[in-house]
Amino acid sequence: MHTGKSDISGWLVRRASWHAWPVLVAVLGAGVLGVARRRADGGMDNAIVVRAARAWLDGGSPYDDPHFLYLPSAVLAAVPQALLPAYVLKVLVPLVVTALLVAGWACALRIHGVPWRSRFAVLGLMALAMGFAPFGHLVRLGNWTVTAAAALPPALLCAVRGRWVAAGAVIGAAVALKPLLAPVALLFVFAGRWRALAAAVLVPAAVSGGAALLMPDPAGFFTRTLPFLLRGGDDFVRLYEASPGAVLPRLGVPAGAAALLGLAAAGCGTWCAYRRWRLGDPGPLRVVETAVLLMLSAFLVSRPSYDHYLLVVVPLLLAGALSAGSVARGPWFWLALVPQVPGVGWPGLEPVTRRAFKDCLTLCVLAASVAVRPGVLPRTVPRRPAPRVVPARPAGREDCAQR
């Protein structure tokens, strides 16, 4: 790992003492037990998927619930939970969500060559658990966004190591559970890795297509879920969406103009992702930052777009903080995360239904901090005038006289 060695980075990559591990386990365990005590179903969002699986087991269509926004393969993946009692789920779900987030963080560290047992590994995970509000939100909700947060780091690790087809298969498996990582397919297009692209497309297509044949409404995702998403959800969903297209109308901006602004921001972010890939600098930052820009661009325009989506990209950026030239070494990365510090009461934003304003600010600033990193945006450098060449004057009479 190239850290641009300094005293602090050298200290951070050393092995953590044994005292740090009980503290880390206590912090993560407190979050799991807190959710288990407060929630009887393991999380509201996970309960939606479990209800869909139970409806399918009872012969109904999982898409009768408009808030079930997943592919048919997710129904089959949720069947084991549907067979478990509630007292097991309320502990198991937050425990599995936390474990998957830890696994994603571990893979993100390995992308940048940071040891798993280093001080930075422990302190970074503690910072995410204690100082980044979406971490706790995701554990409480049990949302299947965790599958994307856990799958993207190992997929990028495979890509960094040259195993592009494996990376495509991992992305495809995650899309089969929740189609959140679909924008990463553009990374394979930028890299010209067509076999990886085929794996990313064919894996979810085959799995979801097979699962759809087992549903009473095989086309329910296209006939019910997609129209629901294209309409922007319902009034309940819109209160928590973080994309500009959902937040700006709440501030008085016309919905059409807000949608165009979000679309323009997403297009600009995708173009910057392409520019970032074309830089061609060695090391893992090229792959990571290109994928992160693609995901952030999608979050700027997607409906819905929630605060816990940030856990798909923030750990990847944070894990690169010890690498010279990384986005996490710039001030804007940290400024973008300030609204997500738990326990800070922002005037006028205390109600949970207004949290989306903070989330939108974080999303936009974070996307801008990655997009405008040095070298991504072309700069117009003023051209210096060419030096004026004065032709040699032929010798005249005066010159000859002086000689």
Side-chain angles (χ1 to χ4, degrees), residues 118-141:
S118 64
R119 290 167 176 158
F120 181 72
V122 175
L123 294 176
L125 186 55
M126 289 181 62
L128 287 171
M130 300 175 62
F132 190 53
F135 190 102
H137 296 164
L138 186 58
V139 175
R140 285 197 296 271
L141 293 172

Side-chain angles (χ1 to χ4, degrees), residues 62-203:
Y63 294 102
D64 288 339
D65 184 353
H67 293 139
F68 178 71
L69 307 177
Y70 302 84
L71 293 170
S73 48
V75 178
L76 300 185
V79 167
Q81 289 192 65
L83 303 176
L84 294 175
Y87 68 86
V88 175
L89 285 179
K90 73 176 186 177
V91 178
L92 182 63
V93 172
L95 181 61
V96 171
V97 170
T98 302
L100 289 175
L101 290 174
V102 172
W105 170 247
C107 288
L109 292 172
R110 295 309 302 151
I111 292 175
H112 301 281
V114 180
W116 288 331
R117 294 182 290 181
S118 64
R119 290 167 176 158
F120 181 72
V122 175
L123 294 176
L125 186 55
M126 289 181 62
L128 287 171
M130 300 175 62
F132 190 53
F135 190 102
H137 296 164
L138 186 58
V139 175
R140 285 197 296 271
L141 293 172
N143 192 283
W144 283 35
T145 296
V146 71
T147 59
L152 186 56
L156 298 184
L157 180 60
C158 291
V160 167
R161 294 180 175 178
R163 301 171 59 190
W164 286 91
V165 176
V170 173
I171 295 297
V175 170
L177 295 176
K178 183 170 183 174
L180 193 62
L181 294 184
V184 181
L186 282 176
L187 174 64
F188 305 134
V189 176
F190 295 165
R193 303 290 178 166
W194 308 114
R195 291 184 180 180
L197 178 63
V201 173
L202 294 178
V203 168

Side-chain angles (χ1 to χ4, degrees), residues 390-401:
V390 180
R393 185 167 57 93
R397 295 181 180 177
E398 296 179 356
D399 295 331
C400 294

